[in-house]
Amino acid sequence: MEPDGSGTWSDVIQRFNDLHPDARIRMVEGPPATNTREDMYSTAFLSQSGGYDVVFCDVVWVPKFAAAGWLLDLSDRLPAADRQDFLDEDLKAGSYRGRLYRVPAFTDAGVLYYRKDLVADSPATFDDLKKFSERFKDEKRWGFLWQGKQYEGLVTNFLEVLWGYGGDWIDAETKEVFLDRPEALLALQFVKSTIGTISPPGVTTYSEEESRNLFQDGRAVFLRNWLYVWALTAREDSPVKGRVGLVPMVHAPGKTNRATLGGWGFAISRFTSNPETAWKFVEFITRPDQLQYIHERLGRVPARKSLVPPEFEPILRAARPRPAIPEYAQASDILQRWLSAALSDRVSPEFALREAARETRLLVGP
Ligand code: GLC
């Protein structure tokens, strides 16, 4: 699991253990970055010893884990009523070649938070974002925070800008790679131009929580982050309570914005010696009451139609998945490395994108 700072996951697991005295679930906390936890699971699966029975699974891990034969096929276990209630996109994202390997728990999308007490007209374009950032930043407040560390989050931030310029990364069907197209260069130039101007120089070390904490302390005008931030900034003890608005990520004039679809669910390792207990747990933790409890504590948005707050519906409908290919982790790693090299001035944006495109073609090419 992700680090359980608030003890929320421990509570839910304790509840399960209390109800099932002969089935003890033990939680293993990993590092916060999704790709690092994916590596931990992959290492365990490769040794075939298992190590983990249940997988708290990011949407982008499913094709790789399923194609490798590391997950149990859960298609016939999920009751029809649940299949109806889970969001279609999240069920689809938990499937590989028509079979379900991951039961959805939380859906997710990237959005742009802003200080509505400062910015009167909500921003629509990249220029608006720059203009309002310049206007409302001061010695204590940055313009725009995002996740620039070299990890999966950087890819999701970049994709939203790339799509907002009308570009794309990889076509999962045709395997075409678009990273050396002009739109990708515009996107990378935009992202790079924020560093040290409207965004802090340290933004290239931020992941979700570093950037949220700063924004929530009132230290920025804009924040790109996931849906969980909404509930947390609205809490009683939040210094920006009542002063935060949310819009879809901005785009270039004449283009449309797309959010990156994120999300988490539960899968079961094929190497488990306790498939029945593992299923009982997955079934338990994805029930409406547990998801609602976690929503209240962590802000995570349940992937059930009956529980999605209505204000998120249009955003989720417009969210776009990352390419669902078994080579996803490697493709993302290539992009992370080259984006990072360009953002930290080790290579030019042109060179970075050309190399990223070349390596990606070698990886996924037809
Ligand atoms: C969020 C998303 C997940 C994504 C990750 C990147 O947790 O839900 O899908 O991969 O952020 O940091």
Side-chain angles (χ1 to χ4, degrees):
M1 301 294 297
E2 62 200 16
D4 187 28
S6 67
T8 306
W9 293 110
S10 312
D11 285 355
V12 178
I13 290 168
Q14 187 60 46
R15 258 186 235 170
F16 178 85
N17 284 339
D18 290 346
L19 290 167
H20 304 87
D22 50 342
R24 304 224 62 79
I25 299 280
R26 190 170 64 86
M27 172 174 71
V28 182
E29 282 176 75
T34 167
N35 44 292
T36 317
R37 297 207 303 279
E38 179 182 14
D39 289 343
M40 290 174 69
Y41 278 119
S42 297
T43 309
F45 292 146
L46 281 169
S47 76
Q48 306 245 328
S49 66
Y52 309 102
D53 301 279
V54 175
V55 185
F56 183 49
C57 189
D58 192 343
V59 45
V60 283
W61 306 351
V62 175
K64 170 177 157 187
F65 285 9
W70 291 339
L71 301 179
L72 290 185
D73 180 344
L74 304 176
S75 316
D76 300 329
R77 290 200 185 243
L78 191 70
D82 284 323
R83 202 175 269 279
Q84 291 287 315
D85 192 26
F86 285 120
L87 292 163
D88 301 332
E89 272 306 320
D90 292 74
L91 279 174
K92 199 169 140 208
S95 304
Y96 183 68
R97 302 207 165 148
R99 309 298 296 174
L100 182 76
Y101 292 94
R102 184 200 73 146
V103 178
F106 304 101
T107 191
D108 220 348
V111 286
L112 187 64
Y113 295 93
Y114 71 102
R115 288 283 300 278
K116 64 177 185 196
D117 56 329
L118 302 172
V119 182
D121 311 314
S122 55
T125 62
F126 294 115
D127 285 344
D128 290 346
L129 177 63
K130 279 207 162 150
K131 190 175 68 193
F132 293 134
S133 289
E134 291 291 355
R135 192 175 307 159
F136 297 110
K137 76 180 172 81
D138 57 27
E139 325 70 75
K140 294 214 184 78
R141 189 163 59 212
W142 282 100
F144 174 42
L145 302 178
W146 47 282
Q147 294 87 52
K149 179 179 155 166
Q150 186 180 327
Y151 80 123
E152 178 62 23
L154 172 60
V155 168
T156 62
N157 279 249
F158 178 69
L159 277 183
E160 286 160 7
V161 177
L162 178 63
W163 289 333
Y165 274 101
D168 204 357
W169 178 15
I170 303 166
D171 184 318
E173 300 298 317
T174 63
K175 306 283 160 65
E176 223 179 322
V177 176
F178 308 99
L179 289 175
D180 43 8
R181 299 273 175 95
E183 297 83 11
L185 184 58
L186 289 174
L188 183 50
Q189 281 166 341
F190 171 81
V191 173
K192 189 164 158 46
S193 74
T194 66
I195 302 171
T197 56
I198 58 171
S199 307
V203 76
T204 50
T205 64
Y206 293 174
S207 54
E208 282 81 5
E209 281 294 85
E210 289 88 359
S211 57
R212 176 184 70 85
N213 285 329
L214 278 173
F215 182 78
Q216 195 158 328
D217 277 346
R219 306 271 309 278
V221 187
F222 292 100
L223 166 71
R224 182 274 171 205
N225 211 317
W226 303 94
L227 295 178
Y228 79 101
V229 169
W230 185 241
L232 300 189
T233 54
R235 285 212 173 140
E236 267 323 305
D237 61 353
S238 157
V240 292
K241 179 176 186 291
R243 294 192 274 156
V244 178
L246 158 164
V247 285
M249 186 58 188
V250 291
H251 51 85
K255 307 283 183 207
T256 43
N257 59 282
R258 299 297 300 268
T260 309
L261 178 76
W264 293 82
F266 289 88
I268 301 178
S269 160
R270 194 174 50 101
F271 308 107
T272 180
S273 45
N274 298 300
E276 293 313 317
T277 307
W279 171 254
K280 260 193 217 156
F281 177 70
V282 171
E283 202 267 315
F284 172 85
I285 200 159
T286 56
R287 276 188 209 156
D289 44 353
Q290 315 305 338
L291 297 186
Q292 187 58 29
Y293 173 77
I294 299 165
H295 172 63
E296 279 155 23
R297 297 276 302 261
L298 301 179
R300 291 285 184 83
V301 176
R304 286 181 176 270
K305 291 170 196 154
S306 53
L307 295 176
V308 172
E311 64 265 32
F312 293 153
E313 278 167 13
I315 291 169
L316 288 167
R317 262 198 304 277
R320 192 170 166 182
R322 284 158 275 177
I325 50 173
E327 307 87 350
Y328 182 82
Q330 290 147 284
S332 170
D333 186 63
I334 293 169
L335 190 55
Q336 289 167 35
R337 264 191 291 112
W338 286 111
L339 290 177
S340 222
L343 295 178
S344 55
D345 267 334
R346 276 175 283 138
V347 300
S348 69
E350 290 83 348
F351 184 83
L353 290 167
R354 211 168 39 239
E355 284 305 298
R358 191 181 59 78
E359 285 185 27
T360 311
R361 286 192 186 106
L362 285 175
L363 173 71
V364 301

